[in-house]
Amino acid sequence: DVAFVIDGWALEIALKYYRKAFTELAILSRTAICCRVTPSQKAQLLSIVNAKHMKAPCGAKLIRVGVLEILVELLKSCDYRTLAIGDGGNDVRMIQQADIGVGISGREGLQAARAADYSIGKFRFLKRLILVHGRYSYNRTAFLSQYSFYKSLLICFIQIFFSFVSGVSGTSLFNSVSLMAYNVFYTSIPVLVSVLDKDLSEKTVMQHPQILYYCQAGRLLNPTTFAGWFGRALFHAIVVFVITIHSYAFEKSELEEVSMVALSGCVWLQVFVVTLETNSFTKLQHLAIWGNLVVFYMINWIVSALPRSGMYTIMFRLCRQPSYWNTMFLIVAAGMGPVLALKYFRYTYRSSKINILQQAERLGGPILSLGNIEPQTRALDNDLAPLSISQSKNGRNSVFEPLLSDSPNAVRRSFGPGATFDFFQSQPKSSTYSRNKDN
Amino acid sequence: MKLSLKLEDQQQNQNPILFKAKIPIAVFGLPFLSAFSATHHHAAAASDKLSLSLRTHFPTGPSLKLSYNTPTTTANSGAGKMDTSPKPKSKSKKPKYSRFTQQELPAWKPILTPGWVIASFVAVAILFIPAGLLCLSASERVVEIVDRYDDECLPDSYSNKGDSFIQSKDTNKTCVRTMKVPRKMTAPVFIYYQLDNFYQNHRRYVKSRSDKQLRDRSYADETRDCKPEDNLDGDENEPIIPCGLVAWSLFNDTYKLSKGNKVLDINKKDIAWKSDTEIKFGSDVYPKNFQKGELIGGGELDETKPLSEQEDLIVWMRTAALPNFRKLYGKIYSDLEANETITIVIQNNYNTYEFGGEKRVVLSTMSWLGGKNDFFGIAFLTIGGICLFMAINFILLYVCKPRPLGDPSYLSWNRNPNGL
């Protein structure tokens, strides 16, 4: 656990003479605090750094942004994920340079906020941004992307299997209307509402910020999880295909009917897969998931009522046959049974940390934790003194204008020559997970 | 009688009174008490007030009060706006609160507890095992006689030359077969012909038809997809109706059944889907130029009957999804007793020898599930059994190796608080 504090002069010397060693130090340390650099020091940096972004010779204005931008670029070149936060116009370039730029819209205007990927109102909101919203966003994105692959793979695999029984001639089991409607109507609505999904409540996350480790560095979206979804698509395709062609064999074997049975099986499986993967069900989610099933049948009834369509009366015939519903039950049970069993087994006997917290939270009771870094009342103390990349107008170290006038830390000027900034790092592809910045 | 004067310096929330005075006065010789007060708000959202009141000395009694309110301008007009409403507010940039945008919608958050999971597996097992037994029993009750005849109906002189047997016009295609009824078959008994290794689901085959032409007389020339069976000898003005390979390959074996001496009537009406006979195949479309080319693919059609009455064609044109399929030939509306011998006279017209296909004739009764299909019963029983097995496993695991849910001591940072 290494942290270093460096001020402007030292930073300049380090970058000039000891760049490699300094880079290594930066990589090894958890926290870095770089103090304010005054313009006079920066004037000399121009000669050192002949980076591409330092074009104009008329120096001072550009040099002002140079130092931190250089640092960001340094870290990025070492495959770090960098986050830069700033509030003023001179932070814009640093914010744009970093992987994640956060701008604070505040007293120094909206320039940084406009250039940033995320803009917040106060520095202390950064914690919520990363811990709460960033985490939720990562979960939801991971689910959405893998689910989209899954539902398309399901259809593709079924078509491939069908080609084995159709003389490998390229007959499509599903007609074009069904395929188009599958992607647009039958499977897109449930995931649109996955934007409301929360695996852990905010309170739990705030109490256990260490959980962020388990949501970073590709924990939820990596080749292994993708292989899991791929395998699930393959397994479900096998289930749907085998059950359909054996249930609808011999005298029931008719291309349109078999096609509709297979498609119904797919849609039913989707519904249950989404249900199993959703962590919190609001009314909207219930409506989207079950309503989606209703919409599927209604659309097909409507198409089945058109005499000119190839699907005329297909759905009506099917819904009257007991073997259709038997097939649906079989497909759902055979498809979801192993998935549910596996998920339950891993949830109970090989729980991930998220699962443990989920269980603790839902079963009620306070979650006591030894390593509790952040009891709620002290939350504000962790906000550091307001950051400022630029120097104040008069450039004196002792006095500076806090960025946020109503920051509770405004009085803590004793923290020394004011400008501080933190940057977040995550380690690329190594076995230990990223260092979570809490303090 | 007293005069009192009160000056307040402290700002209080409710009514910051600047100054209040009570003065006894006499009106028409009667003693009254008058009060005069002024309030002033420094903060926003209040008004200044001057009031004058007149009341009696009695503890309770009427009083008269005159007051004058003025709206004030705030001392630090940070919003920079002066409004004349009684309670001015500063402009707030806070977005309007709604439970949806703040993601605070009430949610049901289920977790996988052992109770629920084991219960659902047991429920599935309880539902599926009886259902499987039911389906098996339904399939058992169906009586089915299957007889493969394409190899038997080929004379020995033509063995291995089945295609030339069919294509030659001189050979006798009649074939007599006998079948024994194993159990009583109650009417209606369905007669199917089963083809194996016939790929009605091949892409070029499936495409080779024209639904428009089948439906409507005026679309007789719509033969675009039907190549090579689109028109007669390449003459554009002589389209084949119905065009396409599907119709061209019409199955044309015929069966005549008899029981002892009695001929069994085969009802060939209503064997096709009603929607097909009513809509898909027009009642004013007549076959034309059909099977007149060099290559004969199957049966011929009666040119005097409209397509909507050609039920064999309609049944054949419902393309099958798999290479082994059965299509309805006809129905018998009389019972067949057990151990009876049924004689079938088959006209072995259809050429499956060319591609190694197989032909069978099937007599079958129907149940609520359809024909004889053990798959449902077996599948239900298998899945029910597996679910029961899983439920028992989970119960054993739960009993032998209990693991309390949500135990924070399993969190790695609690086990090892110093390192992470």
Side-chain angles (χ1 to χ4, degrees), chain A residues 259-332:
Chain A
S259 155
M260 187 44 63
V261 172
L263 194 67
S264 310
C266 286
V267 173
W268 275 93
L269 275 180
Q270 304 291 311
V271 165
F272 281 98
V273 162
V274 173
T275 306
L276 206 59
E277 294 293 323
T278 308
N279 295 299
S280 69
F281 289 85
T282 60
K283 282 210 192 79
L284 279 173
Q285 262 142 332
H286 277 299
L287 191 69
I289 293 175
W290 310 111
N292 184 51
L293 206 55
V294 170
V295 163
F296 169 72
Y297 279 105
M298 305 221 36
I299 291 182
N300 278 304
W301 283 334
I302 290 174
V303 178
S304 297
L306 301 174
R308 298 293 165 95
S309 76
M311 277 171 50
Y312 182 51
T313 71
I314 294 283
M315 204 57 184
F316 296 128
R317 283 176 61 100
L318 281 178
C319 287
R320 282 202 293 259
Q321 294 171 3
S323 49
Y324 172 74
W325 298 108
N326 280 352
T327 313
M328 290 299 114
F329 287 138
L330 275 177
I331 288 177
V332 170

Coordinates of all heavy atoms in Angstrom, one line a residue, chain A residues 259-332:
Chain A
S259 N -42.6 -24.7 -37.3 CA -41.9 -23.4 -37.2 C -42.5 -22.6 -36.1 O -41.8 -22.1 -35.2 CB -42.0 -22.7 -38.5 OG -41.9 -21.3 -38.3
M260 N -43.8 -22.6 -36.0 CA -44.4 -21.8 -35.0 C -44.2 -22.4 -33.6 O -44.0 -21.7 -32.6 CB -45.9 -21.6 -35.3 CG -46.7 -20.7 -34.4 SD -45.8 -19.2 -34.0 CE -45.7 -18.5 -35.6
V261 N -44.2 -23.7 -33.5 CA -44.0 -24.4 -32.2 C -42.6 -24.0 -31.7 O -42.4 -23.7 -30.6 CB -44.2 -25.9 -32.3 CG1 -43.7 -26.6 -31.1 CG2 -45.6 -26.2 -32.6
A262 N -41.6 -24.1 -32.6 CA -40.2 -23.8 -32.2 C -40.1 -22.4 -31.8 O -39.4 -22.1 -30.8 CB -39.3 -24.1 -33.4
L263 N -40.7 -21.5 -32.5 CA -40.6 -20.1 -32.2 C -41.3 -19.8 -30.8 O -40.8 -19.1 -30.0 CB -41.3 -19.2 -33.2 CG -41.0 -17.7 -33.1 CD1 -39.5 -17.5 -33.4 CD2 -41.8 -16.9 -34.1
S264 N -42.4 -20.4 -30.6 CA -43.1 -20.3 -29.3 C -42.2 -20.8 -28.2 O -42.1 -20.1 -27.1 CB -44.4 -21.1 -29.2 OG -45.2 -20.8 -30.3
G265 N -41.5 -21.9 -28.4 CA -40.6 -22.4 -27.4 C -39.5 -21.5 -27.1 O -39.2 -21.2 -25.9
C266 N -39.0 -20.8 -28.2 CA -37.9 -19.9 -27.9 C -38.4 -18.7 -27.1 O -37.7 -18.3 -26.1 CB -37.4 -19.3 -29.3 SG -36.4 -20.4 -30.2
V267 N -39.6 -18.2 -27.4 CA -40.1 -17.0 -26.7 C -40.4 -17.4 -25.2 O -40.0 -16.6 -24.3 CB -41.3 -16.5 -27.4 CG1 -41.9 -15.4 -26.6 CG2 -40.9 -15.9 -28.8
W268 N -40.9 -18.5 -25.0 CA -41.2 -18.9 -23.6 C -39.9 -19.0 -22.8 O -39.8 -18.6 -21.7 CB -41.9 -20.3 -23.6 CG -43.4 -20.2 -23.7 CD1 -44.1 -20.3 -24.8 CD2 -44.3 -20.0 -22.6 NE1 -45.5 -20.1 -24.5 CE2 -45.6 -20.0 -23.2 CE3 -44.2 -19.8 -21.2 CZ2 -46.8 -19.8 -22.4 CZ3 -45.3 -19.7 -20.5 CH2 -46.6 -19.7 -21.1
L269 N -38.9 -19.6 -23.5 CA -37.6 -19.7 -22.8 C -37.0 -18.3 -22.5 O -36.4 -18.1 -21.4 CB -36.6 -20.5 -23.6 CG -36.7 -22.0 -23.5 CD1 -35.7 -22.7 -24.4 CD2 -36.4 -22.4 -22.1
Q270 N -37.1 -17.4 -23.4 CA -36.6 -16.1 -23.2 C -37.2 -15.5 -22.0 O -36.5 -14.8 -21.1 CB -37.0 -15.1 -24.3 CG -36.7 -15.4 -25.7 CD -35.2 -15.3 -25.8 OE1 -34.7 -14.3 -25.5 NE2 -34.6 -16.3 -26.3
V271 N -38.5 -15.6 -21.9 CA -39.2 -15.0 -20.8 C -38.7 -15.5 -19.4 O -38.4 -14.7 -18.5 CB -40.7 -15.3 -20.9 CG1 -41.5 -15.0 -19.6 CG2 -41.4 -14.5 -22.0
F272 N -38.5 -16.8 -19.4 CA -38.0 -17.3 -18.1 C -36.5 -17.0 -17.9 O -36.1 -16.8 -16.7 CB -38.2 -18.8 -18.0 CG -39.6 -19.2 -17.7 CD1 -40.6 -19.5 -18.6 CD2 -40.1 -19.1 -16.4 CE1 -41.9 -19.7 -18.3 CE2 -41.4 -19.4 -16.0 CZ -42.3 -19.7 -17.0
V273 N -35.8 -16.9 -18.9 CA -34.3 -16.5 -18.7 C -34.2 -15.1 -18.2 O -33.5 -14.8 -17.3 CB -33.6 -16.7 -20.1 CG1 -32.3 -15.9 -20.1 CG2 -33.3 -18.1 -20.4
V274 N -35.0 -14.2 -18.8 CA -35.0 -12.8 -18.3 C -35.5 -12.8 -16.8 O -34.9 -12.1 -16.0 CB -35.9 -11.9 -19.2 CG1 -36.0 -10.5 -18.6 CG2 -35.3 -11.8 -20.5
T275 N -36.5 -13.6 -16.5 CA -37.0 -13.6 -15.1 C -35.9 -14.0 -14.2 O -35.7 -13.5 -13.1 CB -38.2 -14.5 -15.0 OG1 -39.2 -14.2 -16.0 CG2 -38.8 -14.5 -13.7
L276 N -35.2 -15.1 -14.6 CA -34.2 -15.6 -13.7 C -33.0 -14.6 -13.5 O -32.4 -14.6 -12.5 CB -33.7 -16.9 -14.2 CG -33.1 -17.9 -13.3 CD1 -34.1 -18.3 -12.3 CD2 -32.6 -19.2 -14.0
E277 N -32.7 -13.9 -14.5 CA -31.6 -13.0 -14.4 C -31.9 -11.6 -13.8 O -31.0 -10.9 -13.5 CB -31.0 -12.7 -15.8 CG -30.4 -14.0 -16.5 CD -29.2 -14.4 -15.8 OE1 -28.4 -13.6 -15.3 OE2 -29.0 -15.7 -15.7
T278 N -33.2 -11.3 -13.7 CA -33.5 -10.0 -13.1 C -33.5 -10.1 -11.6 O -33.9 -11.1 -11.0 CB -34.9 -9.6 -13.6 OG1 -35.0 -9.7 -15.0 CG2 -35.2 -8.2 -13.2
N279 N -32.9 -9.1 -11.0 CA -32.8 -9.1 -9.5 C -33.9 -8.4 -8.8 O -34.2 -8.7 -7.7 CB -31.5 -8.5 -9.1 CG -30.3 -9.3 -9.6 OD1 -30.1 -10.4 -9.3 ND2 -29.5 -8.7 -10.5
S280 N -34.4 -7.4 -9.4 CA -35.5 -6.7 -8.7 C -36.6 -6.4 -9.7 O -36.4 -5.9 -10.8 CB -35.0 -5.4 -8.1 OG -34.6 -4.5 -9.1
F281 N -37.8 -6.8 -9.3 CA -38.9 -6.7 -10.2 C -39.8 -5.5 -9.8 O -40.5 -5.5 -8.8 CB -39.8 -7.9 -10.1 CG -39.1 -9.1 -10.7 CD1 -38.3 -9.9 -10.0 CD2 -39.4 -9.5 -12.0 CE1 -37.7 -11.0 -10.5 CE2 -38.8 -10.6 -12.5 CZ -38.0 -11.3 -11.8
T282 N -39.7 -4.4 -10.6 CA -40.7 -3.4 -10.4 C -42.0 -3.8 -11.3 O -41.9 -4.7 -12.0 CB -40.2 -2.1 -10.9 OG1 -39.9 -2.2 -12.3 CG2 -38.9 -1.7 -10.1
K283 N -43.0 -2.9 -11.1 CA -44.2 -3.2 -11.9 C -43.9 -3.2 -13.4 O -44.5 -4.0 -14.2 CB -45.2 -2.1 -11.6 CG -46.0 -2.3 -10.3 CD -47.4 -1.7 -10.4 CE -48.0 -1.6 -9.1 NZ -47.6 -0.5 -8.2
L284 N -43.0 -2.3 -13.8 CA -42.7 -2.2 -15.2 C -42.1 -3.4 -15.7 O -42.3 -3.9 -16.9 CB -41.7 -1.0 -15.4 CG -42.4 0.4 -15.5 CD1 -41.3 1.4 -15.6 CD2 -43.2 0.5 -16.7
Q285 N -41.3 -4.0 -14.9 CA -40.6 -5.3 -15.3 C -41.6 -6.4 -15.5 O -41.6 -7.2 -16.4 CB -39.5 -5.7 -14.4 CG -38.2 -5.2 -15.0 CD -37.2 -4.8 -13.9 OE1 -37.7 -4.3 -12.8 NE2 -36.0 -4.9 -14.1
H286 N -42.5 -6.5 -14.5 CA -43.6 -7.5 -14.6 C -44.3 -7.3 -15.9 O -44.6 -8.2 -16.7 CB -44.5 -7.4 -13.4 CG -44.0 -8.1 -12.2 ND1 -43.7 -9.5 -12.2 CD2 -43.7 -7.7 -11.0 CE1 -43.3 -9.8 -11.0 NE2 -43.3 -8.8 -10.3
L287 N -44.7 -6.0 -16.1 CA -45.5 -5.7 -17.3 C -44.7 -6.1 -18.6 O -45.3 -6.7 -19.5 CB -45.8 -4.2 -17.3 CG -46.8 -3.8 -18.3 CD1 -48.2 -4.3 -17.9 CD2 -46.9 -2.3 -18.4
A288 N -43.5 -5.8 -18.6 CA -42.7 -6.0 -19.8 C -42.5 -7.5 -20.1 O -42.7 -8.0 -21.2 CB -41.3 -5.3 -19.7
I289 N -42.2 -8.2 -19.0 CA -41.9 -9.6 -19.2 C -43.1 -10.4 -19.6 O -43.2 -11.1 -20.6 CB -41.2 -10.2 -18.0 CG1 -39.8 -9.5 -17.8 CG2 -41.0 -11.7 -18.1 CD1 -39.1 -9.9 -16.5
W290 N -44.2 -10.3 -18.7 CA -45.4 -11.1 -19.0 C -46.2 -10.5 -20.1 O -46.8 -11.2 -20.9 CB -46.2 -11.3 -17.7 CG -45.3 -11.7 -16.6 CD1 -45.0 -11.0 -15.5 CD2 -44.6 -12.9 -16.5 NE1 -44.1 -11.7 -14.7 CE2 -43.9 -12.9 -15.3 CE3 -44.5 -14.1 -17.3 CZ2 -43.1 -14.0 -14.8 CZ3 -43.8 -15.1 -16.8 CH2 -43.1 -15.1 -15.6
G291 N -46.2 -9.2 -20.2 CA -46.9 -8.6 -21.3 C -46.3 -8.9 -22.6 O -47.0 -9.0 -23.7
N292 N -45.0 -9.2 -22.6 CA -44.3 -9.6 -23.9 C -44.9 -10.9 -24.4 O -45.1 -11.1 -25.6 CB -42.8 -9.8 -23.5 CG -42.0 -10.1 -24.7 OD1 -42.1 -9.4 -25.7 ND2 -41.2 -11.1 -24.7
L293 N -45.2 -11.8 -23.5 CA -45.7 -13.1 -23.9 C -47.1 -12.9 -24.5 O -47.5 -13.5 -25.5 CB -45.8 -14.0 -22.6 CG -45.8 -15.5 -22.8 CD1 -44.6 -15.9 -23.6 CD2 -45.7 -16.1 -21.4
V294 N -47.9 -12.0 -23.8 CA -49.2 -11.8 -24.3 C -49.1 -11.2 -25.7 O -49.9 -11.5 -26.6 CB -49.9 -10.8 -23.4 CG1 -51.2 -10.3 -24.0 CG2 -50.2 -11.6 -22.1
V295 N -48.2 -10.2 -25.9 CA -48.0 -9.6 -27.2 C -47.6 -10.6 -28.3 O -48.1 -10.5 -29.4 CB -47.0 -8.4 -27.1 CG1 -46.4 -8.0 -28.4 CG2 -47.5 -7.3 -26.4
F296 N -46.8 -11.5 -27.9 CA -46.4 -12.6 -28.8 C -47.6 -13.3 -29.4 O -47.8 -13.5 -30.6 CB -45.5 -13.5 -28.2 CG -45.2 -14.8 -28.9 CD1 -44.4 -14.7 -30.1 CD2 -45.7 -16.0 -28.6 CE1 -44.2 -15.9 -30.8 CE2 -45.5 -17.1 -29.3 CZ -44.7 -17.1 -30.4
Y297 N -48.5 -13.7 -28.5 CA -49.7 -14.4 -28.9 C -50.6 -13.5 -29.7 O -51.2 -14.0 -30.7 CB -50.4 -15.1 -27.7 CG -49.7 -16.4 -27.4 CD1 -48.9 -16.5 -26.2 CD2 -49.8 -17.5 -28.2 CE1 -48.3 -17.6 -25.9 CE2 -49.2 -18.7 -27.8 CZ -48.4 -18.7 -26.7 OH -47.7 -19.9 -26.4
M298 N -50.8 -12.3 -29.3 CA -51.7 -11.4 -30.0 C -51.2 -11.2 -31.4 O -52.0 -11.2 -32.4 CB -51.8 -10.1 -29.2 CG -52.3 -10.3 -27.8 SD -53.5 -9.2 -27.2 CE -54.5 -9.0 -28.5
I299 N -49.9 -10.9 -31.6 CA -49.4 -10.6 -32.9 C -49.6 -11.9 -33.8 O -50.0 -11.8 -34.9 CB -47.9 -10.2 -32.9 CG1 -47.8 -8.9 -32.2 CG2 -47.3 -10.2 -34.2 CD1 -46.4 -8.4 -32.2
N300 N -49.3 -13.0 -33.2 CA -49.5 -14.2 -34.1 C -50.9 -14.5 -34.4 O -51.3 -15.0 -35.4 CB -48.8 -15.4 -33.4 CG -47.4 -15.4 -33.7 OD1 -46.9 -15.4 -34.8 ND2 -46.6 -15.4 -32.6
W301 N -51.8 -14.2 -33.4 CA -53.3 -14.4 -33.8 C -53.7 -13.5 -34.9 O -54.4 -13.8 -35.8 CB -54.1 -14.2 -32.5 CG -54.1 -15.3 -31.6 CD1 -53.8 -16.6 -31.9 CD2 -54.3 -15.3 -30.2 NE1 -53.8 -17.4 -30.7 CE2 -54.1 -16.6 -29.7 CE3 -54.6 -14.3 -29.3 CZ2 -54.3 -16.9 -28.3 CZ3 -54.7 -14.6 -27.9 CH2 -54.6 -15.9 -27.5
I302 N -53.2 -12.3 -34.8 CA -53.5 -11.3 -35.9 C -53.0 -11.8 -37.2 O -53.7 -11.8 -38.2 CB -53.0 -9.9 -35.5 CG1 -53.8 -9.4 -34.3 CG2 -53.1 -9.0 -36.7 CD1 -53.2 -8.1 -33.8
V303 N -51.8 -12.2 -37.2 CA -51.2 -12.7 -38.5 C -51.9 -13.9 -39.0 O -52.1 -14.1 -40.2 CB -49.7 -12.9 -38.4 CG1 -49.1 -13.4 -39.7 CG2 -49.0 -11.6 -38.0
S304 N -52.3 -14.8 -38.0 CA -53.0 -16.0 -38.4 C -54.4 -15.7 -38.9 O -55.0 -16.6 -39.5 CB -53.1 -16.9 -37.2 OG -51.9 -17.3 -36.8
A305 N -54.9 -14.5 -38.8 CA -56.2 -14.2 -39.3 C -56.2 -13.7 -40.6 O -57.3 -13.4 -41.2 CB -56.9 -13.3 -38.3
L306 N -55.0 -13.4 -41.2 CA -54.9 -12.8 -42.5 C -54.9 -13.9 -43.5 O -54.0 -14.8 -43.5 CB -53.7 -12.0 -42.7 CG -53.5 -10.8 -41.7 CD1 -52.1 -10.2 -41.9 CD2 -54.6 -9.8 -41.9
P307 N -55.9 -14.0 -44.4 CA -55.9 -15.1 -45.4 C -54.7 -15.2 -46.3 O -54.3 -16.2 -46.7 CB -57.2 -14.9 -46.2 CG -58.0 -13.9 -45.4 CD -57.0 -13.1 -44.6
R308 N -54.2 -14.0 -46.6 CA -53.1 -14.1 -47.6 C -51.8 -14.5 -47.0 O -50.8 -14.7 -47.8 CB -52.9 -12.7 -48.3 CG -54.2 -12.2 -49.0 CD -54.4 -13.1 -50.2 NE -55.7 -12.9 -50.8 CZ -56.0 -12.1 -51.8 NH1 -55.1 -11.4 -52.3 NH2 -57.3 -12.0 -52.2
S309 N -51.6 -14.4 -45.7 CA -50.3 -14.7 -45.1 C -50.1 -16.2 -45.2 O -51.0 -17.0 -45.2 CB -50.2 -14.2 -43.7 OG -50.9 -15.0 -42.9
G310 N -48.8 -16.6 -45.2 CA -48.5 -18.0 -45.1 C -48.9 -18.7 -43.8 O -49.0 -19.9 -43.8
M311 N -49.1 -17.8 -42.8 CA -49.4 -18.4 -41.5 C -50.9 -18.5 -41.2 O -51.3 -18.5 -40.1 CB -48.8 -17.5 -40.4 CG -47.3 -17.8 -40.2 SD -46.6 -16.6 -39.2 CE -47.7 -16.5 -37.8
Y312 N -51.7 -18.5 -42.2 CA -53.1 -18.4 -42.0 C -53.6 -19.6 -41.2 O -53.3 -20.7 -41.5 CB -53.8 -18.4 -43.4 CG -55.3 -18.3 -43.3 CD1 -55.9 -17.3 -42.6 CD2 -56.1 -19.2 -44.0 CE1 -57.3 -17.2 -42.6 CE2 -57.5 -19.1 -44.0 CZ -58.1 -18.1 -43.3 OH -59.4 -18.0 -43.2
T313 N -54.3 -19.3 -40.1 CA -54.9 -20.2 -39.1 C -53.9 -21.0 -38.4 O -54.3 -21.9 -37.6 CB -55.9 -21.2 -39.8 OG1 -55.2 -22.1 -40.6 CG2 -56.9 -20.5 -40.6
I314 N -52.6 -20.8 -38.6 CA -51.7 -21.7 -37.9 C -51.8 -21.6 -36.4 O -51.9 -22.6 -35.6 CB -50.2 -21.4 -38.3 CG1 -50.0 -21.7 -39.8 CG2 -49.2 -22.1 -37.5 CD1 -49.8 -23.1 -40.1
M315 N -51.8 -20.3 -35.9 CA -51.7 -20.2 -34.4 C -53.1 -20.6 -33.8 O -53.1 -21.1 -32.7 CB -51.5 -18.7 -34.1 CG -50.9 -18.5 -32.8 SD -49.4 -19.4 -32.6 CE -48.9 -19.1 -31.0
F316 N -54.1 -20.4 -34.5 CA -55.4 -20.9 -33.9 C -55.4 -22.4 -33.8 O -55.9 -22.9 -32.8 CB -56.6 -20.4 -34.8 CG -56.7 -18.9 -34.9 CD1 -56.8 -18.3 -36.1 CD2 -56.8 -18.2 -33.8 CE1 -56.9 -16.9 -36.2 CE2 -56.9 -16.8 -33.8 CZ -56.9 -16.2 -35.1
R317 N -55.0 -23.1 -34.8 CA -54.9 -24.5 -34.8 C -54.0 -25.0 -33.6 O -54.4 -25.9 -32.9 CB -54.3 -25.1 -36.1 CG -55.2 -25.1 -37.3 CD -54.5 -25.5 -38.5 NE -54.0 -26.9 -38.3 CZ -54.5 -28.0 -38.8 NH1 -55.6 -27.8 -39.5 NH2 -54.0 -29.1 -38.6
L318 N -52.9 -24.3 -33.5 CA -52.0 -24.8 -32.5 C -52.5 -24.6 -31.1 O -52.4 -25.5 -30.3 CB -50.6 -24.0 -32.6 CG -49.7 -24.5 -33.7 CD1 -48.5 -23.6 -33.8 CD2 -49.3 -25.9 -33.5
C319 N -53.1 -23.5 -30.9 CA -53.6 -23.2 -29.5 C -54.7 -24.1 -29.1 O -55.0 -24.3 -27.9 CB -54.0 -21.8 -29.4 SG -52.6 -20.6 -29.4
R320 N -55.3 -24.8 -30.1 CA -56.4 -25.7 -29.7 C -55.8 -27.1 -29.5 O -56.6 -28.0 -29.0 CB -57.4 -25.8 -30.8 CG -58.4 -24.6 -30.9 CD -59.6 -25.0 -31.6 NE -59.3 -25.3 -33.0 CZ -59.6 -24.4 -34.0 NH1 -60.1 -23.3 -33.7 NH2 -59.3 -24.7 -35.2
Q321 N -54.6 -27.4 -29.8 CA -54.1 -28.7 -29.6 C -53.4 -28.9 -28.3 O -52.6 -28.1 -27.9 CB -53.0 -29.0 -30.7 CG -53.5 -29.0 -32.1 CD -52.4 -29.0 -33.1 OE1 -51.2 -29.1 -32.7 NE2 -52.7 -28.9 -34.4
P322 N -53.8 -30.0 -27.6 CA -53.1 -30.2 -26.3 C -51.6 -30.5 -26.5 O -50.8 -30.2 -25.6 CB -53.8 -31.5 -25.8 CG -55.1 -31.6 -26.5 CD -54.9 -30.9 -27.8
S323 N -51.3 -31.1 -27.6 CA -49.8 -31.4 -27.7 C -49.0 -30.1 -27.8 O -47.8 -30.1 -27.5 CB -49.6 -32.3 -29.0 OG -50.3 -31.7 -30.1
Y324 N -49.6 -29.0 -28.3 CA -48.8 -27.8 -28.3 C -48.4 -27.3 -26.9 O -47.3 -27.0 -26.6 CB -49.6 -26.7 -29.0 CG -49.1 -25.3 -29.0 CD1 -48.0 -25.0 -29.7 CD2 -49.6 -24.4 -28.2 CE1 -47.4 -23.7 -29.7 CE2 -49.1 -23.1 -28.1 CZ -48.0 -22.7 -28.9 OH -47.5 -21.5 -28.8
W325 N -49.4 -27.3 -26.0 CA -49.1 -26.9 -24.7 C -48.2 -27.9 -24.0 O -47.4 -27.4 -23.2 CB -50.5 -26.7 -23.9 CG -51.3 -25.6 -24.6 CD1 -52.4 -25.8 -25.3 CD2 -51.0 -24.2 -24.6 NE1 -52.8 -24.6 -25.8 CE2 -52.0 -23.6 -25.4 CE3 -49.9 -23.4 -24.1 CZ2 -52.0 -22.2 -25.6 CZ3 -50.0 -22.1 -24.3 CH2 -51.0 -21.5 -25.1
N326 N -48.4 -29.2 -24.2 CA -47.5 -30.1 -23.7 C -46.1 -29.8 -24.1 O -45.1 -29.9 -23.3 CB -47.8 -31.5 -24.1 CG -49.0 -32.1 -23.3 OD1 -49.4 -31.5 -22.3 ND2 -49.5 -33.2 -23.7
T327 N -45.9 -29.5 -25.4 CA -44.6 -29.2 -25.9 C -44.0 -28.0 -25.2 O -42.8 -27.9 -24.8 CB -44.6 -29.0 -27.4 OG1 -45.4 -30.0 -28.0 CG2 -43.3 -28.9 -28.0
M328 N -44.8 -27.0 -25.0 CA -44.3 -25.8 -24.3 C -43.9 -26.1 -22.9 O -42.8 -25.7 -22.4 CB -45.4 -24.7 -24.2 CG -45.8 -24.1 -25.5 SD -44.4 -23.2 -26.3 CE -44.2 -24.3 -27.7
F329 N -44.7 -26.9 -22.2 CA -44.3 -27.2 -20.8 C -43.0 -28.0 -20.8 O -42.1 -27.7 -20.0 CB -45.3 -28.1 -20.1 CG -46.5 -27.3 -19.7 CD1 -47.8 -27.9 -19.9 CD2 -46.5 -26.1 -19.2 CE1 -48.9 -27.2 -19.6 CE2 -47.6 -25.4 -18.8 CZ -48.8 -25.9 -19.0
L330 N -42.8 -28.9 -21.7 CA -41.6 -29.7 -21.8 C -40.4 -28.8 -22.1 O -39.4 -29.0 -21.5 CB -41.7 -30.8 -22.9 CG -42.4 -32.1 -22.6 CD1 -42.5 -32.9 -23.8 CD2 -41.6 -32.8 -21.5
I331 N -40.6 -27.9 -23.0 CA -39.4 -27.1 -23.4 C -39.0 -26.2 -22.2 O -37.8 -26.1 -21.9 CB -39.8 -26.2 -24.6 CG1 -39.9 -27.1 -25.9 CG2 -38.8 -25.1 -24.8 CD1 -40.3 -26.3 -27.1
V332 N -40.0 -25.6 -21.6 CA -39.6 -24.7 -20.4 C -39.0 -25.5 -19.3 O -37.9 -25.2 -18.8 CB -40.9 -24.0 -19.9 CG1 -40.6 -23.3 -18.6 CG2 -41.3 -23.0 -20.9

